Amino acid sequence: MADGSSPSAAAGYPLLVQRSNAGSPAMAFSLSDGKTHDDVSLPEMHSSTYLQTPQGWVLVLSSSSALEMSTFLLDPRDGRKVGLPPLDESELPTARKCVLSDNAPDAGAGVVVLSLQGPAVWFCRVGGERWSTHTYDMGYFSLPVEYRAPKKRHLFDVAGVGGRFYFCEDKDFSLGTLDFTGGDGEVALGAVAVPGGIDDMFPSPDSSGIAATYLVESRGDLYLAAVVFLGFRAEGPPHRFSVYRMDLSAAGPAWRRTADIGCDRAFVLGGGGNFGASCSASGCGVRANCLYWFNSFSPDDNNLHVLSVGDGGVETVAPPPFEHASCVHKPFWLVPTTNNTA
């Protein structure tokens, strides 16, 4: 793709993208054809800061001079732009992620940038005049005694569903809400009690291990995907995985385990920023009712796994998408902007 064309000209979405250094050509592994494409050109994203979203749009912060900065949402497939108020990258932490409140960035839709290093968020609305900065208080992480300094808890998983932002409490899997009142008003953290939480994530009550969890919005529903490792090293294929759908019916909020996320849906998970998104299986040429999971927790594991929700099967894509690449950063996903409407 040395002709500078869009990645979609030679590779179908979703794409697992690896860029070594700012401004350098990227490589992308396409799920639809199972191939790695070299020298991928990302329109208007070279020499810029950009954050992918589960809705497919990319937040771009570009500056042509010290006095001029442009901030917008970009559809990398065709170059469509939606203008946003300017946001100075120097205000943001190194580790961050971006989520939209709706699938389409129409006027009034919310845009949130989360710090993955501490309790801070940046917020604006499409059509608004400025970004607002907010801090919040979720208490402290429960850390071993050898950690001398306490560390404030902060958000990792946030999903936009029907115009609202939701997050999952890491202690009891209750559901939280992140609301911004009126234009640039204050942030409010709410809670949706989930009696019983999730009690079947690990094989047995006395199992020890870690679980990577991902909140995913899919066609108006909210899902929680969990990839579980026994022990405390997230390497190799996972020991097990599970998917839960949030039931907000009158019977009371509950996470319902499911073996079916939809006959035409697949989730892509992992990579940079604890990413989770839904896509049309037929529209993207991928296997339905599967999780495509890239392990972003182990520095030595560059494998892509295909997890079958229906029968629990685990496959590892061979060879790894970037087996011979010199990877400075973990790859990230780009999904089509129509991911939840096809």
Side-chain angles (χ1 to χ4, degrees), residues 100-304:
L100 308 184
S101 65
D102 298 88
N103 290 328
D106 297 327
V111 184
V112 160
V113 176
L114 305 167
S115 170
L116 299 180
Q117 298 170 243
V121 297
W122 290 256
F123 173 78
C124 79
R125 293 190 186 277
V126 175
E129 297 182 354
R130 67 180 182 89
W131 291 79
S132 53
T133 305
H134 308 271
T135 57
Y136 54 89
D137 189 356
M138 297 175 63
Y140 292 86
F141 287 109
S142 298
L143 297 174
V145 293
E146 56 264 28
Y147 284 79
R148 295 182 179 179
K151 182 175 176 58
K152 278 187 168 293
R153 295 173 61 228
H154 56 274
L155 300 173
F156 288 96
D157 277 335
V158 172
V161 184
R164 298 192 71 185
F165 294 101
Y166 292 88
F167 63 90
C168 191
E169 287 277 9
D170 58 356
K171 293 182 178 180
D172 57 4
F173 296 102
S174 61
L175 194 62
T177 59
L178 187 66
D179 291 311
F180 299 87
T181 58
D184 296 322
E186 293 304 310
V187 63
L189 297 182
V192 180
V194 183
I198 297 176
D199 58 7
D200 64 348
M201 186 174 292
F202 286 92
S204 61
D206 59 351
S207 296
S208 60
I210 56 176
T213 58
Y214 307 87
L215 278 185
V216 182
E217 186 276 340
S218 183
R219 301 180 186 177
D221 287 325
L222 182 62
Y223 291 84
L224 175 68
V227 181
V228 176
F229 291 86
L230 294 184
F232 295 94
R233 292 178 64 86
E235 295 182 350
H239 176 75
R240 61 180 296 181
F241 62 94
S242 49
V243 179
Y244 307 84
R245 184 181 66 83
M246 172 51 62
D247 182 357
L248 293 173
S249 65
W255 289 111
R256 309 288 187 191
R257 186 165 182 171
T258 181
D260 183 9
I261 61 174
C263 61
D264 191 36
R265 275 182 273 187
F267 294 171
V268 293
L269 310 171
N274 211 45
F275 186 82
S278 171
C279 64
S280 162
S282 61
C284 296
V286 297
R287 289 164 52 183
N289 204 30
C290 285
L291 313 178
Y292 288 80
W293 177 69
F294 186 87
N295 188 349
S296 57
F297 294 94
S298 171
D300 303 318
D301 189 347
N302 289 311
N303 286 303
L304 175 64

Side-chain angles (χ1 to χ4, degrees), residues 1 3-11 13 15 40-43 75-79:
M1 297 184 62
D3 59 357
S5 59
S6 166
S8 59
Y13 284 60
L15 295 174
V40 173
S41 174
L42 301 174
D75 185 341
R77 300 173 308 164
D78 56 20

